[in-house]
Amino acid sequence: MKKIAVILAGCGVYDGAEINEAVLTLLHIAKAGASYQCFAPDIEQLHTINHLNGEQMTPNRNVLVEAARIARGDIKALTLLDANNFDALIVPGGFGAAKNLCDFAIKGTQAKLNPEILRAAKAFANAKKPAGYMCIAPAMIPLIYSAGVKTTIGNDLDTANALQSLGAQHIDCAVDDIVIDEQHKLVSTPAYMLAQSILDADAGIKKLVTNVLAMS
């Protein structure tokens, strides 16, 4: 059975992992007959957002504790992720990917990755193991892979230009499609960067999971 590591950025579209993207990812991994283990960094979130009114809340929350809500408690600290024990990596989106896993949401083209994310993601890349990134999570790709790596965040011009500035080759992509970089065994899909419904998001996520598993 293939084993997939899934990295979550918290719980909730505005400050953590996008819940639908995360659940659909886990569902399609399981439906394909593979297994998964969720991980998250044991750090404070950038901030905590009230998802009802969009306002910032106090006290702030912990990324690992929040991500455990999605994983039903079956989650490990990112420090424990060893790429040698897995066949592939998948990273759902949500603003937490650009706020907690890296600081792209704040610093744009000056962005840096959380050190544990960098270690874990680079381990998969260096081992030539496949990986999938969705929604805004592909903003991390040029900080992990070599210049010219192919990826997508959909078709948002400003974000695409920022990825190009960081060294990626951005390819416009429809919500129900994926971009594959064969050389790097890398798959990306826009998901809720473009999705207007859970069905929209599901179409691309299913293709991403299917192709990541096929490469592993």
Side-chain angles (χ1 to χ4, degrees):
M1 180 184 286
K2 292 177 180 178
K3 296 172 65 179
I4 313 301
V6 178
I7 297 177
L8 301 176
C11 180
V13 57
Y14 300 125
D15 58 14
E18 210 296 319
I19 296 171
N20 290 345
E21 290 178 6
V23 172
L24 289 169
T25 295
L26 302 182
L27 177 64
H28 286 301
I29 291 170
K31 276 185 156 185
S35 68
Y36 58 79
Q37 174 64 56
C38 294
F39 295 88
D42 187 3
I43 57 173
E44 288 288 294
Q45 296 182 176
L46 172 69
H47 54 206
T48 296
I49 300 296
N50 179 327
H51 279 59
L52 198 57
N53 61 21
E55 294 175 3
Q56 194 166 328
M57 295 170 57
T58 55
N60 199 15
R61 299 180 182 181
N62 176 282
V63 175
L64 178 60
V65 173
E66 287 299 287
R69 293 172 179 269
I70 297 174
R72 297 174 59 86
D74 182 13
I75 193 167
K76 296 179 180 179
L78 188 55
T79 50
L80 300 176
L81 174 50
D82 182 349
N84 292 318
N85 297 331
F86 293 90
D87 298 295
L89 169 69
I90 297 181
V91 186
F95 281 117
K99 292 177 176 180
N100 304 327
L101 304 187
C102 69
D103 54 11
F104 181 80
I106 299 95
K107 297 192 175 174
T109 55
Q110 304 300 311
K112 290 186 177 168
L113 288 175
N114 167 284
E116 275 305 306
I117 285 286
L118 183 61
R119 176 199 65 80
K122 266 200 169 296
F124 282 91
N126 292 340
K128 296 190 168 30
K129 292 185 175 184
Y133 291 76
M134 62 189 70
C135 190
I136 193 61
M140 298 189 286
I141 285 173
L143 304 174
I144 298 163
Y145 294 86
S146 56
V149 62
K150 296 174 184 173
T151 188
T152 191
I153 47 81
N155 57 20
D156 182 76
L157 189 59
D158 289 343
T159 312
N161 286 340
L163 265 64
Q164 299 259 135
S165 296
L166 285 166
Q169 179 186 345
H170 182 269
I171 298 167
D172 282 359
C173 181
V175 67
D176 61 349
D177 210 353
I178 56 175
V179 166
I180 300 176
D181 184 320
E182 298 278 2
Q183 179 188 343
H184 296 97
K185 291 189 171 181
L186 186 64
V187 188
S188 52
T189 191
Y192 276 99
M193 287 295 285
L194 292 177
Q196 299 297 308
S197 71
I198 194 169
L199 292 174
D200 281 352
D202 183 60
I205 291 169
K206 181 179 181 181
K207 286 181 182 176
L208 180 144
V209 172
T210 299
N211 280 270
V212 167
L213 287 171
M215 288 178 174
S216 63

